[in-house]
Every structure is written in C-alpha cells, then in structure tokens.
Amino acid sequence: MATPDTSAAQTGAARSGNPAGTDGAKAAGAAPEAGRVVAVRGAVVDVAFTGALPPVNDALTVQWDQDGPLVVEVAAHIDASTVRAVALGSTIGLKRGTPVTPRGGPITVPADAAVLGRLVDVMGEARDGGPPLPADLPRRPIHRPAPPLAARKASTAIFETGIKVIDLLAPLPEGGKAAMFGGAGVGKTVVVMELIQAMVAGYDGISVFAGIGERSREGHELLADMAASGVLAQCALVFGQMNEPPGARWRVGLTALTIAEHFRDAKHQNVLLLMDNVFRFVQAGSEVSGLLGRLPSRVGYQPTLATEIAELQERITSVAGAAITAIEAVYVPADDFTDPAVTAISSHLDSTIVLSRAMAAEGMYPAVDPLGSSSVLLDPTVVGREHYEVAEAVRATIAQYRELQDIISLLGVEELSTADRRAVTRARRLQRFLTQPFTVTEAFTGMPGRSVRRADTVAGCRAILDGACDDWDEADLYMVGTLDEARARHEAAGASTNAEAAA
C-alpha cells in the first residue's frame, strides 16, 4: 500500500484550520477539478485528479446513482494525482469511474438557532423525522483552529451540578473540561443524563449533546426523555450511530463542537457540551487509521492518537464573554486506567470523575470513587477554606477505612482501636450520605430525584465528620438529599420504634 505523502498532509492540515474554508490550491490560482473513483476498499475511496489535488480534510461529493449524496473526506495524498479519502456514508454500490466533485473546503454544518430542538447527523442533516432544516442556514466548517491563547479567558467559576459527591470532591469548572471514566455498566450515561437535568434547573444557556457511537435505542430514549422534560428546545443533539461507517463516528464530535462554537462566538452564549462516548471517537479514529494502512502504535491504537484528541479537546475553552463547558463520558476498556486512550484524554481535563465498579456492586450510586476523582478547582482559594478542609477530611476518612477493610474482614471491627472504629463508623456514613437518587432513574427506583446545593453538601459532611450522626442507622443516610432529610428519616424511625415499644 502506498505511503501517504507527509508534506502534502501537513499542508492540507494547516489549510483545514482556516475558518473561512479557503482552498490553498485556489489561492494559488489552480482550483481542483472533478476527479474519478479509482479504488474502493470498504470505507476508503481512492480518487484520481488530472489537475491540482484538494487539500487534506477537504470534502468531496461522489456523483453516484444511489439514493442520497455520498460525501468523502480527503485523508492523505498518496501520489501526485491521487488522494485517499474516508467515506462518511455507506459505499455499497460505488464503482470505479464514478465522478467526484470537490466541495472547495472542509465539511460544513448548519450552525444556527434552527438546530436547537433537533437531532442531526455528522453532516448536519435532520434525522428526527421532522422537516428538513432550511437550506439557507449559515454553515461553519468542522475543521477550525483552537482559539489563540491570548483570546482565552481563565475561569474559576464552579458549575454546580446538584450531585453531592461531584460538587464536593471533583467540582466542575465553568468553561472547562470534565470527564467521567468507567468501565461498562457503572453508570456513565446515567450521570450524563442527570447533568442534563441539572442544566435545566439551574443553567442559563445552550446545551449540545454529541452521541458518538451511540446505540439507536439510546438515541431514541434520549430524544424522548428530553422532549418530555422540556429540555429539548434549548438543546441540539448530534448523533453518529454504531452502525454508521467509522468516518461518520470519527467526525461527529467535531460537528457538535462546531455548533457549540457558533453559540459561543457568534451569540456570546454559554454552552454545555455533553459527549458520550469519547472513547468511541478514539475507536473510530483507530478504524480509519487501519483502513488507511498506517502502522498501529501502542496497544494497537493509531499513531496519531494524541494529535486527534488534542484537536478535539483544545477547541473546548472560554473566550471573553462566553464559555463552552464540556462534560464527557469515557469508557475504560477492561477497567484499565493505564490504557493509552484513557491517559491521553486525561491530560486535557480539569476535573476527573472516576466511577468504581466495586462501589456500583455495593449499591453506592452514583458510583464515584472519592479517592480516584479530582479537580483543579479543589483549592481553598477557589472553593473556600471550609469546603477544601471538609473534602480533604472526607477523603482521609474513607482512605483510612479502606486501609482497615482487610483487618475487618479477617478479625472483625471489634478488634480495632477506638479511634479506628470511630473512623470506620463515619466513613461508612459518609459513603452512604454521598449517594443520591437521580431524577432520570425515578421511573426505575420509585424514589424522587434530589438536587443538593454545594453548601448543604459541605455542611452535611462536616456534621458527619464531627460525630453528629454516629448513633444514626446507616440506612438513614442512604439515598437522601440533604442531612435534614436524613435527620427526618432518623427521627421517624425512632418514633416508630418507641411506638412499638410502648405497644
């Protein structure tokens, strides 16, 4: 297989950062002419041109006789007259000799208020069964440079989620990037859905949801739930489903980010960007890399792994007057947090939320690991001295409890010292107090969802650390909102016990 021309790829990549989508070849006075398909290998299409070649990341339209247009994206120049492109749709029925027309720039998607309340695909076409989007909407290219450092605005504002364990131990920055890491079945999507509900209650802005490699069932449920809860009018949904070619799944995150950038830059509105699942973005890139004939890197990932993640993550930032706040779900293959994809994504984050399978097995939902999760905002100058001290004390108490678990399992809690028994008692109550019923799971659990202010979470944990709940039953603190609710449950249980004793 021919080796892609590195210099041509670099030239095209540099050109693709031009927001206006101006063709470098056109600037030189030689616009690419129509080409023809010379080879088709699955999602990879080779196109030959007689004149100038379109730059890397430019879009080409295949003029075939099938239903619907087929768009391919230039991935490499393999020689002086041929480009290798990745298809964003099915290539079944495509044959050699089919004419291909350059679009004169990267893929563009509609970016306007008309996309709010709609579900679109990687090309910006409506896929929710509603009317098509107007043809005259302004469009933006999906390949754009990140804002320069001079234009970025550092922010220490906290995005309060109403989820106790997150707000206490891994507060999310407004205008920053946070991700939830976890294996299969530990609750990543449930937490993302709850964050959408939190956005409705206390967030004044636009939200964009990127479903990367989602199942059809998940997309349908998300659309129905958001429509029922009244969130949909202020949210744009962008989906690249599992059954779509890898090229579509690879670029759907950039489509969602382009829409978010429009509201940030043109409308000066805050945007909440939710991405589920970023690991599938990496997987799609790995598939594309293999189809292009590139040699794999560590653990079989693409050699361009770090670059691809950086191109996505570095565009998520705050500029003067508006911010994009990203909350991402990241699948951890085989619960291996040393996986190259996981470590590459982690390096770009402000807050890291680790979901624990062991806690999920114990019924501690949300299954956020208090020791593995962290945030750059957990600093006394940002969250306040009291919040910082309570968070550190909670971590220290739970860490002490985990160190003693082997002894407890072998000898029993009675063999511990008085101080250790006190720490175990409070750690178990802290773990249960940091559980919380979610609004999105109310239909399954029968428990109404709870949203708790950060100040109430800090006050409740402080009371538990000070021993105010040492004589309470652990069940009184499980799946409650504030400590006052737990106190009411404790008093009700005590009154019931007294009534039974009197009887």
Side-chain angles (χ1 to χ4, degrees):
M1 185 172 291
T3 302
D5 181 66
T6 304
S7 62
Q10 290 174 344
T11 303
R15 212 284 293 125
S16 67
N18 186 340
T22 305
D23 194 328
K26 287 183 179 179
E33 301 175 355
R36 291 191 176 275
V37 174
V38 294
V40 181
R41 289 179 293 276
V44 173
V45 180
D46 289 353
V47 183
F49 292 87
T50 56
L53 297 182
V56 170
N57 288 336
D58 260 23
L60 315 174
T61 301
V62 177
Q63 307 293 339
W64 64 347
D65 56 358
Q66 305 291 323
D67 292 334
L70 175 62
V71 176
V72 299
E73 186 180 73
V74 178
H77 294 178
I78 57 177
D79 57 40
S81 61
T82 312
V83 301
R84 181 155 290 158
V86 177
L88 274 68
S90 173
T91 58
I92 296 176
L94 180 61
K95 54 191 176 184
R96 287 182 296 175
T98 303
V100 177
T101 305
R103 289 194 168 198
I107 296 166
T108 60
V109 296
D112 192 75
V115 301
L116 297 178
R118 304 301 302 271
L119 186 150
V120 300
D121 60 12
V122 66
M123 297 297 299
E125 302 295 330
R127 298 297 183 193
D128 53 8
L133 295 173
D136 58 349
L137 288 179
R139 303 180 74 90
R140 293 167 68 100
I142 66 171
H143 295 285
R144 300 170 57 84
L149 290 176
R152 302 188 188 191
K153 184 187 70 172
S155 175
T156 57
I158 296 176
F159 181 85
E160 291 202 20
T161 66
I163 301 175
K164 291 182 289 187
V165 65
I166 293 177
D167 287 343
L168 177 70
L169 300 175
L172 307 185
E174 193 172 293
K177 297 180 280 287
M180 287 162 291
F181 294 89
V186 295
K188 297 184 298 298
T189 301
V190 172
V191 176
V192 169
M193 289 293 296
E194 187 67 15
L195 288 170
I196 294 176
Q197 295 288 338
M199 178 272 301
V200 181
Y203 180 74
D204 183 20
I206 301 297
S207 63
V208 178
F209 181 89
I212 306 174
E214 290 285 270
R215 303 171 183 86
S216 300
R217 170 187 56 80
E218 293 172 332
H220 178 75
E221 290 177 356
L222 179 66
L223 183 63
D225 290 345
M226 295 183 77
S229 61
V231 189
L232 194 58
Q234 293 298 308
C235 183
L237 307 179
V238 186
F239 268 79
Q241 295 177 183
M242 273 187 174
N243 62 336
E244 296 188 50
R249 289 181 274 121
W250 191 33
R251 294 310 191 197
V252 70
L254 296 182
T255 297
L257 182 53
T258 302
I259 294 172
E261 286 175 331
H262 167 76
F263 288 103
R264 181 195 65 189
D265 300 336
K267 303 294 185 180
H268 304 292
Q269 292 178 286
N270 290 330
V271 183
L272 178 63
L273 176 64
L274 300 129
M275 305 180 76
D276 186 10
N277 186 304
V278 179
F279 181 78
R280 296 196 186 114
F281 162 78
V282 175
Q283 277 187 316
S286 180
E287 292 178 50
V288 169
S289 181
L291 290 169
L292 294 174
R294 296 173 182 156
L295 290 175
S297 184
R298 293 174 53 203
V299 199
Y301 286 111
Q302 60 270 42
T304 54
L305 172 66
T307 302
E308 291 172 7
I309 292 175
E311 287 175 349
L312 177 71
Q313 299 288 351
E314 288 303 305
R315 288 168 60 181
I316 303 171
T317 186
S318 300
V319 296
I324 296 178
T325 302
I327 300 173
E328 308 165 6
V330 182
Y331 168 70
V332 180
D335 292 343
D336 178 15
F337 285 87
T338 64
D339 185 86
V342 175
T343 56
I345 295 169
S346 300
S347 63
H348 295 273
L349 302 175
D350 301 302
S351 295
T352 302
I353 301 166
V354 176
L355 300 179
S356 165
R357 188 172 302 280
M359 294 189 66
E362 294 175 5
M364 301 297 172
Y365 290 106
V368 176
D369 185 355
L371 304 185
S373 304
S374 62
S375 171
V376 296
L377 292 190
L378 195 58
D379 184 279
T381 60
V382 178
V383 298
R385 175 64 59 181
E386 182 183 12
H387 181 162
Y388 175 77
E389 291 178 350
V390 169
E392 291 300 301
V394 167
R395 279 208 177 104
T397 304
I398 294 176
Q400 184 179 357
Y401 169 52
R402 291 189 178 178
E403 290 174 357
L404 296 169
Q405 279 184 320
D406 288 342
I407 298 175
I408 294 171
S409 61
L410 290 173
L411 304 177
V413 72
E414 296 79 9
E415 298 299 321
L416 299 178
S417 66
T418 302
D420 285 345
R421 284 202 302 272
R422 184 187 305 118
V424 168
T425 298
R426 294 175 184 175
R428 290 178 62 86
R429 281 158 177 76
L430 283 169
Q431 285 186 331
R432 280 148 183 79
F433 177 65
L434 292 177
T435 61
Q436 186 172 343
F438 280 174
T439 302
V440 296
T441 60
E442 185 175 337
F444 308 104
T445 64
M447 292 185 287
R450 297 287 189 271
S451 179
V452 183
R453 296 187 306 117
R454 183 165 58 99
D456 293 336
T457 300
V458 173
C461 291
R462 168 60 71 188
I464 295 173
L465 289 167
D466 291 342
C469 308
D470 285 356
D471 59 342
W472 294 14
D473 193 289
E474 291 178 0
D476 296 337
L477 295 158
Y478 181 67
M479 285 293 173
V480 297
T482 64
L483 193 65
D484 290 338
E485 184 180 341
R487 182 177 290 108
R489 184 186 291 182
H490 169 69
E491 292 172 354
S496 175
T497 302
N498 293 336
E500 291 178 0

